[in-house]
Amino acid sequence: MISVRGITKRFGTYPALHGIDLDIQPGEFIALLGPSGSGKTTLLRIIAGLEFQDGGEVLFNGEDVSSLRVAERHVGFVFQHYALFRHMTVAENVAFGLSVRKGKARVSKAAMRARAEELLRLVQLEGLGARYPAQLSGGQRQRVALARALAIEPKLLLLDEPFGALDAKVRKDLRRWLRDLHKAMGLTSIFVTHDQEEALELADRVVVMDQGRIEQIGTPDEIYMNPQTPFVSHFVGETNRIASSSGEIHFRPHDIELGLDGSHAVLVDNVFRKGGVWRVEGLLEGSGQFVELDIDTALEQPGLGETIRFHPHRARIFNADGAQTQRERHQGEKP
Amino acid sequence: MTRNATTEGRLTRVLLIGLALLFLGFFLLLPLVAVFSEALKAGIGPLLDAIHTPDALAAIRLTLFIAAISVPLNMVFGLAASWAITKFQFPGKALLITLIDLPFSVSPVVSGLIFVLLFGANGLFGAWLAEHDLKIIFAVPGIVLATVFITFPFVARELIPLMMEQGKDDEEAAISLGASGWQTFWHVTLPNIRWALLYGVLLCNARAMGEFGAVSVVSGHIRGETNTMPLHVEILYNEYDFVGAFAVASLLALLALVTLVAKSVLEWRFDLHAGARH
């Protein structure tokens, strides 16, 4: 089990993390999700031992590793831009962790080659061992970086924005592949991402961070369905936020019911097809606040200038302090 | 020829290129040709004879000796400074970067005078040095000091931008895979910067062998002892020994040409390498 206790970190006068607590179970796949500047990468690097915290401790199976350097923590780290050694072949890259071992831990050349081949097979890059990183595609480089990190048989795998530098199609394929690999290997893994879709799709649990604090920890379903703070509600998934006398009402574009007795009316400004629904954009009548609604394409496409009455059937209300005052309202209730 | 927004008209192009070539020919090519033609005026025999005098040979030996000391010193210094500047945060970093450029912005004569003021007979350490019978000014150590000072920006200036661009991801990756600091430097950092390092060393070497001003101040111009090649050229020239002067000068010019070729080859390799990144 990996435990993080009260981690604080400053860069100069800039506070990067304010007291982070987190427990990670063996074999879990954890996403650290947040916008840039939320401290997610700093937290990952502190867990790795690439950065050191100002306060608090990092425990691996109850043992305080706070003062251990990265190599002594036996973690595999995959860098955002892969950090492959460009003057080494793919096989040399993968075997690097073995080739730098000294004394009793030394590995024979043949064993290193065999291990590199085995890992390249695992990441489906068999036969590419003699190439140089520059000769590979982005997705292939990513997998080399992963194989290289796995070569040292880490207890924990850490990935910094693993798909950040890839184009959309490759990203999707690689995402599915990484999820399968994680299932097959069962290695405790933590990855950093600013892409909520990625976090929700891959992770067993998502840790949502903002401004150096953890906003919420939960399964992807909990995070999406029951965001606890205005930030999570807004950051994860699409959310309409409208001000009302009881606080800020948050609801998803699809969590609405249409009806003439609806509590809100929107003046349609723009309509387009968004996959299986009509996405309607417009301003609320009365307050003039911007909202987005999803309407079944079985219904006729709404016209511009039309007024649509609706009622959010699943909404959250947050008061000025960010506390949630109400979770759900049902049809017929007035806000 | 494809047209694009930044392509000028034909006349402008011809004018610009012509002007550049004219300048190049007049200020660079012509002097180079003049050096070699003057040196070879009386044929190859007198040229070789002129180089073969004991004083000329001593000057060549001294120049090589000075370069052999100052270039490795500045290679180590350049590496250490670039490493410190690009991989760590520390107070005074901006000052260090500025100081590295100092030899470029100070007149070489001033650089030489600094050492005279420090180590000369009336200098700050002059009395102490005389007491211990150590000679720095008007001796080889002074020339080495002046040359090291003059040439120390070259390596660092080449390495700092490259190492800044490369960041420290590669080093962190190596360390996370269990490499020691030394292994990381040797197997990861050095291969990443090897072409830029060689390039810097090359420029450093060319300057170390060619430096005149600073060396002239501290050398004392003692024939056969503290005369480097550039100083020797000047002496011969002042004595109206034109063949001799231009013979030694042609050696220096040859060094420049070799440096240029080596630099081009390195740039080509460097580009190849840089292009292959990411």
Side-chain angles (χ1 to χ4, degrees):
Chain A
M1 185 164 104
I2 312 294
S3 302
V4 168
R5 298 259 178 275
I7 292 287
T8 57
K9 175 76 181 174
R10 287 177 162 275
F11 292 115
T13 56
Y14 175 76
L17 295 172
H18 320 252
I20 298 288
D21 290 294
L22 180 63
D23 284 318
I24 296 161
Q25 301 303 321
E28 259 193 314
F29 203 2
I30 297 285
L32 301 180
L33 172 67
S36 54
S38 60
K40 56 192 191 303
T41 298
T42 303
L43 177 58
L44 191 79
R45 289 170 60 86
I46 285 173
I47 294 173
L50 289 170
E51 207 89 64
F52 293 92
Q53 66 271 25
D54 298 334
E57 49 193 14
V58 179
L59 308 170
F60 285 9
N61 295 321
E63 183 203 347
D64 187 357
V65 298
S66 300
S67 60
L68 296 187
R69 285 173 299 125
V70 55
E72 298 164 323
R73 294 190 193 185
H74 300 285
V75 296
F77 200 98
V78 177
F79 290 81
Q80 184 173 5
H81 301 291
Y82 322 131
L84 295 179
F85 308 131
R86 46 188 157 263
H87 59 281
M88 294 183 200
T89 64
V90 166
E92 285 167 345
N93 262 284
V94 173
F96 184 84
L98 304 176
S99 70
V100 294
R101 287 193 186 166
K102 281 176 285 193
K104 254 188 281 174
R106 224 189 166 95
V107 188
S108 75
K109 280 251 159 63
M112 270 194 271
R113 246 196 317 273
R115 180 84 177 118
E117 258 166 53
E118 179 192 329
L119 283 159
L120 286 175
R121 208 163 32 245
L122 179 74
V123 299
Q124 298 168 359
L125 290 174
E126 257 175 308
L128 297 186
R131 297 230 188 139
Y132 283 88
Q135 298 168 301
L136 302 182
S137 72
Q140 288 172 327
R141 281 179 220 174
Q142 169 67 271
R143 284 181 279 157
V144 174
L146 190 61
R148 184 177 70 178
L150 293 174
I152 59 166
E153 288 168 25
K155 291 188 256 179
L156 174 65
L157 183 63
L158 304 169
L159 307 107
D160 187 8
E161 295 276 4
F163 312 106
L166 301 170
D167 56 56
K169 173 76 175 82
V170 178
R171 191 186 296 200
K172 201 151 183 239
D173 291 346
L174 208 55
R175 217 143 78 181
R176 190 173 310 125
W177 174 83
L178 184 63
R179 193 178 51 198
D180 292 346
L181 186 75
H182 177 262
K183 264 191 204 138
M185 299 211 322
L187 182 61
T188 311
S189 309
I190 307 174
F191 73 103
V192 155
T193 182
H194 63 272
D195 181 342
Q196 40 131 336
E197 211 180 294
E198 212 161 273
L200 299 183
E201 180 182 331
L202 283 177
D204 296 323
R205 282 193 303 153
V206 178
V207 178
V208 186
M209 294 182 66
D210 184 42
Q211 295 182 5
R213 290 193 173 82
I214 291 179
E215 289 275 320
Q216 188 172 355
I217 305 175
T219 64
D221 197 54
E222 284 164 3
I223 297 284
Y224 188 84
M225 295 306 283
N226 292 316
Q228 307 271 301
T229 68
F231 174 81
V232 177
S233 172
H234 179 57
F235 188 72
V236 180
E238 291 181 293
T239 300
N240 290 303
R241 291 180 294 177
I242 56 181
S244 78
S245 53
S246 53
E248 200 174 51
I249 306 176
H250 288 217
F251 63 96
R252 308 286 186 200
H254 56 84
D255 283 336
I256 55 157
E257 268 158 26
L258 301 179
L260 290 175
D261 59 345
S263 50
H264 303 277
V266 62
L267 188 65
V268 178
D269 221 18
N270 188 26
V271 180
F272 57 93
R273 178 182 283 279
K274 191 171 188 250
V277 295
W278 297 121
R279 167 58 58 93
V280 173
E281 295 172 352
L283 301 181
L284 279 186
E285 230 166 48
S287 63
Q289 298 176 82
F290 179 80
V291 291
E292 298 168 306
L293 308 176
D294 286 342
I295 296 173
D296 194 344
T297 46
L299 300 172
E300 202 183 323
Q301 178 175 2
L304 298 185
E306 210 175 290
T307 300
I308 297 178
R309 294 201 77 83
F310 71 95
H311 180 77
H313 68 68
R314 188 186 168 86
R316 300 162 295 282
I317 303 176
F318 296 98
N319 66 17
D321 304 325
Q324 195 165 349
T325 52
Q326 200 176 340
R327 193 140 87 195
E328 260 173 280
R329 280 171 302 116
H330 301 285
Q331 200 172 10
E333 282 180 22
K334 297 288 173 202
Chain B
M1 174 139 192
T2 54
R3 261 183 75 100
N4 62 40
T6 55
T7 306
E8 305 293 340
R10 197 182 157 72
L11 185 71
T12 323
R13 235 183 310 151
V14 169
L15 259 172
L16 280 175
I17 295 171
L19 204 66
L21 287 180
L22 203 72
F23 246 77
L24 216 68
F26 189 74
F27 286 105
L28 296 175
L29 209 58
L30 203 63
L32 204 60
V33 171
V35 167
F36 283 107
S37 67
E38 277 296 324
L40 287 165
K41 217 175 193 172
I44 189 92
L47 184 140
L48 289 180
D49 286 347
I51 292 173
H52 225 81
T53 62
D55 285 352
L57 286 177
I60 294 171
R61 262 198 305 274
L62 181 62
T63 298
L64 291 177
F65 178 73
I66 302 290
I69 295 177
S70 51
V71 173
L73 268 180
N74 275 330
M75 187 169 114
V76 171
F77 166 78
L79 265 171
S82 323
W83 183 283
I85 284 168
T86 55
K87 312 278 176 190
F88 309 122
Q89 293 297 332
F90 56 91
K93 190 161 142 173
L95 187 70
L96 180 59
I97 296 175
T98 314
L99 278 181
I100 286 174
D101 279 346
L102 190 68
F104 275 170
S105 49
V106 167
S107 159
V109 175
V110 177
S111 313
L113 278 175
I114 295 168
F115 290 104
V116 174
L117 287 177
L118 284 176
F119 304 117
N122 300 317
L124 202 55
F125 304 112
W128 187 86
L129 288 169
E131 219 170 273
H132 292 79
D133 205 20
L134 294 169
K135 242 181 124 38
I136 291 184
I137 298 305
F138 306 142
V140 174
I143 304 177
V144 171
L145 281 176
T147 308
V148 168
F149 178 83
I150 287 293
T151 57
F152 92 39
F154 287 95
V155 173
R157 288 275 293 231
E158 284 304 315
L159 292 183
I160 290 169
L162 179 72
M163 289 171 83
M164 274 196 173
E165 188 212 319
Q166 290 182 343
K168 50 184 182 183
D169 277 10
D170 283 16
E171 280 76 15
E172 285 184 343
I175 287 165
S176 80
L177 291 166
S180 64
W182 183 244
Q183 283 173 323
T184 302
F185 174 73
W186 201 247
H187 296 297
V188 175
T189 307
L190 200 56
N192 275 346
I193 59 169
R194 60 188 158 185
W195 299 116
L197 180 63
L198 259 172
Y199 187 30
V201 163
L202 206 68
L203 292 178
C204 179
N205 182 58
R207 185 66 190 267
M209 291 188 173
E211 173 55 24
F212 180 85
V215 170
S216 175
V217 175
V218 297
S219 135
H221 305 265
I222 309 167
R223 280 196 199 208
E225 276 181 45
T226 63
N227 250 356
T228 61
M229 283 165 78
L231 300 183
H232 193 58
V233 171
E234 197 211 15
I235 290 184
L236 292 177
Y237 186 80
N238 286 343
E239 291 171 352
Y240 303 103
D241 180 358
F242 293 134
V243 172
F246 280 104
V248 180
S250 67
L251 277 184
L252 279 172
L254 210 62
L255 167 77
L257 288 179
V258 169
T259 305
L260 272 183
V261 170
K263 172 180 167 282
S264 307
V265 171
L266 281 180
E267 265 175 355
W268 175 70
R269 288 252 22 186
F270 193 29
D271 272 357
L272 214 67
H273 227 68
R277 262 196 323 255
H278 304 301

